[in-house]
Each structure stands twice: as C-alpha cells, then as structure tokens.
Amino acid sequence: MNRKALLKGILLLIGTLSIQSCDKDFNTIGSEIIGEENFLLDKYTAQNVVAYNQVTGEGTQPGAVETGYLPYNAIGAMVDPVFGKTVANFVTQVSFPTNNSLGSLGKNPKVDSVYVYIPYIADTPTTNNDVTEYQLPSTYGTGVFSLKVYENGYFLSNFSPDPTNVSRIYSDENSKIENFIKGTPLNDSNDVSQNSAFYFKKTAINLYQYNEDGSIKTDENTGKPIVKETLTPGMWLDLNKAYFEKMLFTPENLPNFGNNNLFQNFFRGLYFKAESTIGTGALGVMNFAAAKLVIIYSQDSETAGKKRERKQLELDISSDVVKLGVTDNTLITGNYFNNDFSSNYLHNIANPNKTQGDEKLFIKGGSGSFAVIELFKKNSNGVSEELNYLRENKWLINDARLNFYVDKVTMSDGKQIEPTRIYLYDLDNNMILKDYATDNTAQNSIYAKAVYGGILEKENTEDKKGIRYRIKIADHINNLINKDSTNVKLGLAVSYDINNVSSKRLKTPINNSPRAIKSIPTSSIMSPLGTVLYGTNTSDENKKLKLEIFYTKSKN
C-alpha cells in the first residue's frame, strides 16, 4: 500500500467515531482538510503539566460548600477506607399540592396511616425465583445506618434584607437544625429497617387495596392480598399517625392551613437525620423532589348506606429544581455533611506542591477536594515556552486528551466505591470547556458526553476495579495554539451528574490569579464518592498524568 492510500485510510479511521469500548482510543479530525502526501501524523506529549490538590476553601482542610436547592441530595452514613466517614443529613420544607391549601375535611376525620416514599434511582430490574430486584446506581454500600425523621423547628427562609448578600445554606450548618428539633422521631415503626437499622432495599414495593373497614382486600380464590400499585424501590417510612392526626385535625390548628405560607410557618418541614451504627454503613443520593408525604384518613361518608370513606392527602417534599429552577415558590432544602476524614487523606491534601505538582490527586465529592491542572506551565518570567513552541509549529490538532490513572495501590482493598465520572472545566472562569459544549452524545444518560469522556474504564475481571479516566480536550488545545486563547487553569472534580454544569458557592473563597475561586461544580457537591489518581510528580512514568496531543504537520 502506498503512503497516499495509507494516509487516506488513517484519516478515515480518525473521522469515524467509535465509543463501543471505553478502552479504545478516540480521535477527532480538525476543521481543515488534509491532503496528499505532504503531511505526517504524529503524537506530542506535553512536558510542562502540573497538577496538585486543592481543598474546598482557603486553608489546609476541606471547607463548607453551598448545599441549598441541590437537584439531588445525599442521605446516610458511610465509612470509606481512604477518605474516612461521611454522614449526610437533609432538611426540607413541606407544602400542600397545587391547590395551595388543605381543602375541606369531612366529619370525624381520623388518620389511618402516614408514610413517606422517596423513589431511588433504579436501573432495569431482573427477576430470579419470583423475586424482582433492581440495580441502584446511586446508593453506595450494603450496610445499615440509623435514620430518624423529625419535625423541623427551624424556620427556613431565603429572604435577605441585603440583596447583595443572598441567604444561603452551607454544608456545615447542621447545628441550626439540630438545635430546633421538635419532639421524638416520627418514623417509630417496629420495623427496624425503617429506622435504627435502615438499609437500601432493592425490591419493589406493593400497595394493596383496602376494604371499607380498613382491612386489606384479598383474592377470593387465592386468599392473597390484592395489589393496587407496584412502586419501584425507594425509601419507605411509616410515620406516627397520632402525631399527624393531632396536627391536622385539631380545631385550633385549622387557621394555619389556609395557604402554604401559613402552613410552612406552622409546620416547618422534615429533618432526615442519619447516624453511624456498625460496619461501613451506606449512603444514597436521592431525588427528594419525587418524594411524597402521604396521609391516609377516613371520614364519615355523605353517601347513603356507606359509613366511612377513605381519603388520601399528598404533601410535596422538595421541588424539582432541574425542571423548574429556583423561584419564590420553590421549597427550601438543605444538605448537611458531617465528616470525619482519615488522617492520610488530610495529610495528602494539606500542602499541595504547586511548582512540581503532587504525586497523588485526592478528589472527593461533597465538601472535599478537587485537583488544579496547569497546562504548559509558565517559567519564572511568566512565559510558557512550550506553548510558544506549539504555536510556532502551527500544527493541526486532530486529538488531545488527558489520561488519569487510578492509584490502584491506594484503592486496592476492594471496599472502595469508585465514582463513575470525573469532570474537567475552566477553573479560572468557572466555565465549561469547548469539548464539553460540542459533545452531544446521549445527553440524558449517565454516559452522556462520552466523547468528551471522564468515564471510569474498568478491568475485565470479577471485581472490575478502575483503571483510568480519559478526557478529550482537542478543541481546548486547538484554541490555545491556533486562536491564542488564554491558558487558564483547569479544575478536575468528581461528578455525580455530568449533565449538570451549574455551580454552588464555597463558604470560603480560594486565593487564585487572575481571580478568586468562589464556587465549585454542583455535580461534585452531590457526589459522596472519591478517588485517588496519579499526578504529575510521580516516578511511575506509565501512570503519570499526561497530556497527549495528536497532530498533523507538513513535511516541508
């Protein structure tokens, strides 16, 4: 085969997108047309890349992050062998449905049952021996923790007399809620899996039909309960019905139910409090906006011949900020993180080497840490000689990617739950990279932005431990070289939802040039997970963080 035919074959291969396997390289072709035999394809490995650890705030330990109105919220208590223990609590307002009031109640109302149902994020189910189980990709750990649900006594408000200083909720403000807890836990069922030994069940939940007297209807032939509805796996908590009967049906309380403002001042919401028990525990990331607080009650019937009627009242917990955004009517929520970080983790992130980079990058979601990456680092005179070299060559960039290898020695005990995604962004300006913006693959999937990447590649073994993450930055490098763009610092963070590119405030800004870093990606705050990656100051050349640039150059 002559060189002309070979070149055409290679270019055809480069122009074909293949994402069938995470272990395969990917390339993108530049915007210019490459012709004939006067060009060569080659690879360049950047020499001046520095990556180092950065905590979420100014200082040596992780700082608080803003956690109000998160699209997804964490709940649970889990011990990670590398990063330590994380306990996540959640508070939310509760509101009437869209009619904005309790409505009229019949005669002699009496509560039959009260429950909270919060569906988990569940994959396609599998059935074995008549038992249907779902995979729960957003619940981590198989252990138990203590879960208590209280009436919240702290008034949640987003009002601020100073419009320049908006009221915000931060991850370290748990004491505000703890100091105003009202009464005893509402989830006081005899079923300990709903409270003192809570765990994330993978099976579906059946709701049954009821007779007028409140008993469950059964099939005349089989004697089995008649299923009215089957729900996907979720957090099901039976709450104290006497408490809600007194709250709702005591005559002196009725003036508080005229509208949601009155109701939310009277009943200030629910507080979900997690505590560690034994073992490593478990922690879940949940969409509380899909939750329901359901009150089943009966009242005297107005229909002749019928004594009682069963009624159902649903109250809203949280709001769907993904679809609706945050408005004056959005229910206020807050996530609180109580961390007991391991000494090894704190030691490794305390004093980052910003000159040569760190040996290992510890990136942890929630109120944890991320990595700062400087490409083509400048010399003492403020000049990037390497970037100037690339610009002078005027190469056509076909592909460029950063390879992040997992430190399997640190993550080797088999108990780590590794994050599926990491996210790379413009740290200086808190913006997405062009490579992210131009990737439209599978937008609604956990594997969205597959060309841009950041997806964990795993070993083809039974335990399927992580090998590496790859992120494509060809457009970003092209802009640096051919359009003389500003060489900004990049941020690397754990990502729970790669489609969510919003950001939340850091309680304490980070000193940085050209401007202070005041926020962090929301998707990182929502993830409780962490991973350890090889940095740029490791002696292991095979695992060292590298920027690989694939380019076409003229032979002349």
Side-chain angles (χ1 to χ4, degrees):
M1 181 182 291
N2 59 37
R3 283 183 292 175
K4 180 176 180 180
L6 177 61
L7 179 59
K8 288 183 177 180
I10 293 174
L11 294 178
L12 178 62
L13 177 62
I14 292 174
T16 303
L17 174 64
S18 173
I19 56 172
Q20 295 177 353
S21 169
C22 292
D23 199 41
K24 293 181 180 179
D25 294 345
F26 52 80
N27 292 307
T28 57
I29 194 166
S31 58
E32 299 178 29
I33 298 175
I34 307 169
E36 304 305 327
E37 299 179 345
N38 294 322
F39 298 89
L40 289 176
L41 296 177
D42 209 342
K43 182 178 81 170
Y44 177 83
T45 301
Q47 301 300 306
N48 294 307
V49 178
V50 172
Y52 50 88
N53 291 289
Q54 173 62 57
V55 297
T56 51
E58 188 63 36
T60 61
Q61 294 192 12
V65 293
E66 184 186 357
T67 55
Y69 302 110
L70 291 177
Y72 299 91
N73 292 271
I75 184 74
M78 184 175 71
V79 177
D80 181 285
V82 173
F83 295 93
K85 181 171 70 176
T86 296
V87 177
N89 302 324
F90 175 72
V91 68
T92 179
Q93 288 180 313
V94 176
S95 74
F96 295 126
T98 53
N99 62 17
N100 202 37
S101 68
L102 181 61
S104 59
L105 297 173
K107 294 181 180 179
N108 301 319
K110 183 176 179 59
V111 172
D112 295 331
S113 64
V114 183
Y115 66 85
V116 166
Y117 168 66
I118 309 166
Y120 303 142
I121 296 166
D123 285 346
T124 305
T126 58
T127 302
N128 293 311
N129 298 324
D130 294 328
V131 176
T132 301
E133 286 194 345
Y134 293 72
Q135 293 298 314
L136 307 178
S138 294
T139 63
Y140 313 108
T142 57
V144 301
F145 60 92
S146 172
L147 177 62
K148 299 175 182 177
V149 180
Y150 293 94
E151 179 187 354
N152 170 40
Y154 179 80
F155 184 68
L156 297 170
S157 173
N158 55 13
F159 173 77
S160 173
D162 181 3
T164 63
N165 186 24
V166 178
S167 178
R168 302 178 190 276
I169 295 175
Y170 288 95
S171 59
D172 64 345
E173 297 177 337
N174 210 157
S175 60
K176 288 183 177 181
I177 307 300
E178 291 279 352
N179 292 336
F180 289 91
I181 288 175
K182 298 181 72 172
T184 57
L186 299 174
N187 58 325
D188 55 1
S189 168
N190 291 329
D191 181 357
V192 296
S193 69
Q194 294 189 25
N195 37 65
S196 61
F198 182 89
Y199 67 97
F200 297 105
K201 297 179 181 179
K202 298 181 178 181
T203 51
I205 299 171
N206 289 327
L207 302 184
Y208 300 102
Q209 295 183 20
Y210 282 82
N211 298 305
E212 289 183 21
D213 62 1
S215 60
I216 297 176
K217 283 186 177 181
T218 57
D219 187 278
E220 293 180 357
N221 298 319
T222 65
K224 293 182 178 180
I226 299 176
V227 176
K228 179 180 70 174
E229 183 182 3
T230 299
L231 305 176
T232 57
M235 178 181 284
W236 181 285
L237 305 175
D238 291 305
L239 304 185
N240 187 295
K241 63 182 183 180
Y243 167 86
F244 283 90
E245 182 169 295
K246 181 178 179 181
M247 181 186 75
L248 292 172
F249 301 146
T250 301
E252 55 264 32
N253 290 340
L254 292 180
N256 298 297
F257 304 144
N259 58 55
N260 269 323
N261 289 333
L262 291 172
F263 177 64
Q264 288 166 0
N265 185 47
F266 171 70
F267 179 63
R268 297 182 174 180
L270 295 175
Y271 174 50
F272 294 74
K273 176 182 175 62
E275 295 176 328
S276 292
T277 53
I278 58 173
T280 57
L283 196 151
V285 178
M286 303 171 62
N287 179 11
F288 277 84
K292 297 187 295 184
L293 171 57
V294 179
I295 301 160
I296 308 294
Y297 67 97
S298 60
Q299 63 185 34
D300 288 349
S301 177
E302 297 179 358
T303 304
K306 217 176 176 186
K307 291 184 178 180
R308 302 283 286 176
E309 289 181 337
R310 284 173 61 84
K311 297 286 186 177
Q312 178 170 306
L313 172 65
E314 284 191 17
L315 302 181
D316 294 331
I317 300 177
S318 186
S319 301
D320 194 336
V321 296
V322 175
K323 293 182 179 179
L324 304 176
V326 177
T327 68
D328 291 339
N329 296 322
T330 304
L331 296 180
I332 300 172
T333 64
N335 225 166
Y336 304 104
F337 306 137
N338 300 320
N339 297 298
D340 183 11
F341 294 122
S342 71
S343 58
N344 182 55
Y345 170 51
L346 294 177
H347 171 75
N348 276 279
I349 61 176
N351 297 294
N353 186 337
K354 298 183 179 182
T355 303
Q356 297 175 308
D358 286 329
E359 178 183 1
K360 299 177 182 180
L361 304 177
F362 287 72
I363 59 175
K364 167 75 168 66
S367 53
S369 57
F370 58 99
V372 179
I373 300 171
E374 298 183 37
L375 305 178
F376 316 121
K377 192 170 176 63
K378 297 177 181 179
N379 59 24
S380 57
N381 296 320
V383 176
S384 174
E385 297 175 359
E386 185 173 32
L387 185 55
N388 286 341
Y389 167 76
L390 296 175
R391 286 170 174 166
E392 291 168 359
N393 279 281
K394 297 182 179 179
W395 292 337
L396 174 63
I397 306 303
N398 299 317
D399 192 13
R401 63 236 182 157
L402 285 164
N403 297 303
F404 300 92
Y405 284 88
V406 177
D407 177 6
K408 293 196 290 184
V409 174
T410 303
M411 304 282 285
S412 66
D413 69 1
K415 296 180 181 178
Q416 260 69 40
I417 304 171
E418 299 176 276
T420 302
R421 300 294 294 258
I422 58 175
Y423 171 60
L424 188 74
Y425 62 102
D426 175 348
L427 180 65
D428 286 342
N429 300 296
N430 189 30
M431 293 175 58
I432 61 174
L433 298 180
K434 186 177 179 182
D435 297 85
Y436 177 99
T438 56
D439 183 356
N440 295 314
T441 55
Q443 290 301 298
N444 295 321
S445 165
I446 190 174
Y447 297 111
K449 307 286 183 182
V451 175
Y452 160 80
I455 302 172
L456 179 63
E457 302 175 22
K458 297 182 179 181
E459 295 176 342
N460 188 24
T461 58
E462 185 177 348
D463 58 7
K464 297 186 182 300
K465 299 302 293 182
I467 301 173
R468 69 183 172 191
Y469 302 86
R470 283 183 169 181
I471 297 181
K472 172 183 170 293
I473 55 170
D475 292 335
H476 179 67
I477 299 299
N478 248 320
N479 284 343
L480 289 180
I481 295 176
N482 298 317
K483 297 184 179 180
D484 201 23
S485 297
T486 303
N487 187 18
V488 297
K489 297 184 186 74
L490 304 178
L492 182 75
V494 171
S495 177
Y496 172 75
D497 179 8
I498 196 66
N499 295 300
N500 192 316
V501 293
S502 64
S503 60
K504 292 286 187 181
R505 289 292 187 101
L506 299 172
K507 196 169 188 179
T508 306
I510 300 168
N511 290 329
N512 179 61
S513 177
R515 61 184 63 86
I517 300 168
K518 297 182 178 180
S519 60
I520 190 171
T522 303
S523 61
S524 176
I525 296 173
M526 293 187 291
S527 174
L529 304 181
T531 188
V532 184
L533 308 172
Y534 284 95
T536 52
N537 196 16
T538 176
S539 58
D540 191 338
E541 283 296 320
N542 293 325
K543 301 297 176 61
K544 183 178 181 179
L545 169 58
K546 295 177 182 178
L547 168 61
E548 296 178 328
I549 301 173
F550 297 84
Y551 64 93
T552 304
K553 67 177 181 180
S554 172
K555 293 166 61 177
N556 298 328

